[in-house]
Amino acid sequence: NAGVTQTPKFQVLKTGQSMTLQCAQDMNHEYMSWYRQDPGMGLRLIHYSVGAGITDQGEVPNGYNVSRSTTEDFPLRLLSAAPSQTSVYFCASRRTGLGYGYTFGSGTRLTVV
Amino acid sequence: LAKTTQPISMDSYEGQEVNITCSHNNIATNDYITWYQQFPSQGPRFIIQGYKTKVTNEVASLFIPADRKSSTLSLPRVSLSDTAVYYCLVGDIRGQFYFGTGTSLTVIP
């Protein structure tokens, strides 16, 4: 199994540009989430989904959109990139039930100049 | 949303047992406690999850007292490779878990 796959691994954007961070999982997990991690900080929840067609906002949703058209994919869209969005972005998925934690992808390191 | 408080950092010698305590005074009835480990430049890795009393797996033990206002992650006989940041999360497993600032554990030879 590939687990959670994120692309790209690195990206540099100019202020005002838009882009989509891709996330795919092959474990048939119901739950998927996007987190961002700034240097020396913990992870902050951006958006999450409890199943295909269902998404909701986390702690820091402004400037980001998500959709969940399939169980496997959960892309994160940056609408108009700002330097404050420079961060490492992690996608994660988990199955429902007790004892199952999130499986995280390897992250996308995004720099907005 | 239950907030968690952990020590910012801890040091331990190789081979010792390490206990990291997390405080979550306003934990709700439906909340579970989950611990993750994160190495630099990697995503967090799930360690253990529990609701009350004690949970043990091949990696760690989780101790939760009856009032559930705190929890302790126990790592037996740590090695240098256990140097990482450890996060305590509290949340409803039907909902979302929010990360705190974590505890940076340094294992000393």
Side-chain angles (χ1 to χ4, degrees):
Chain A
N1 282 342
V4 178
T5 302
Q6 290 185 237
T7 56
K9 293 190 181 302
F10 301 94
Q11 182 70 48
V12 178
L13 287 179
K14 294 182 178 179
T15 297
Q17 287 185 317
S18 63
M19 79 159 294
T20 299
L21 307 185
Q22 300 292 343
C23 176
Q25 52 95 4
D26 61 358
M27 299 170 283
N28 202 32
H29 285 172
E30 297 90 345
Y31 284 35
M32 295 187 75
S33 296
W34 276 102
Y35 291 87
R36 61 175 287 176
Q37 185 171 34
D38 300 324
M41 306 272 293
L43 286 77
R44 290 185 290 171
L45 180 65
I46 305 172
H47 284 286
Y48 66 96
S49 169
V50 299
I54 305 170
T55 63
D56 207 343
Q57 297 180 349
E59 303 170 271
V60 288
N62 293 337
Y64 307 94
N65 275 352
V66 292
S67 60
R68 184 97 180 270
S69 57
T70 66
T71 299
E72 296 77 19
D73 299 301
F74 191 43
L76 177 72
R77 298 182 186 85
L78 279 70
L79 309 174
S80 177
S84 61
Q85 294 178 305
T86 294
S87 189
V88 179
Y89 291 83
F90 290 103
C91 178
S93 72
R94 67 179 175 94
R95 55 176 295 180
T96 55
L98 177 61
Y100 300 105
Y102 272 108
T103 299
F104 280 80
S106 57
T108 295
R109 187 174 297 272
L110 176 69
T111 301
V112 182
V113 298
Chain B
L1 188 62
K3 180 180 178 180
T4 60
T5 303
Q6 304 174 232
I8 294 174
S9 63
M10 296 179 66
D11 294 336
S12 176
Y13 286 102
E14 202 170 10
Q16 289 188 330
E17 178 184 73
V18 170
N19 295 310
I20 305 174
T21 297
C22 179
S23 174
H24 28 80
N25 291 319
N26 59 339
I27 188 169
T29 302
N30 292 330
D31 286 346
Y32 286 75
I33 300 154
T34 310
W35 285 80
Y36 286 83
Q37 174 193 57
Q38 186 180 29
F39 297 112
S41 301
Q42 294 186 24
R45 183 176 72 97
F46 171 77
I47 301 174
I48 198 166
Q49 186 179 76
Y51 183 79
K52 61 180 178 182
T53 63
K54 177 183 175 182
V55 180
T56 298
N57 62 23
E58 63 277 7
V59 177
S61 295
L62 177 59
F63 298 92
I64 305 168
D67 66 5
R68 304 199 328 121
K69 294 184 182 299
S70 66
S71 59
T72 299
L73 175 72
S74 181
L75 304 172
R77 297 185 298 281
V78 294
S79 64
L80 298 178
S81 62
D82 291 318
T83 293
V85 178
Y86 292 83
Y87 293 97
C88 164
L89 285 69
V90 171
D92 189 331
I93 61 170
R94 297 167 298 177
Q96 284 308 300
F97 288 84
Y98 294 85
F99 284 78
T101 53
T103 298
S104 179
L105 173 66
T106 300
V107 179
I108 306 166

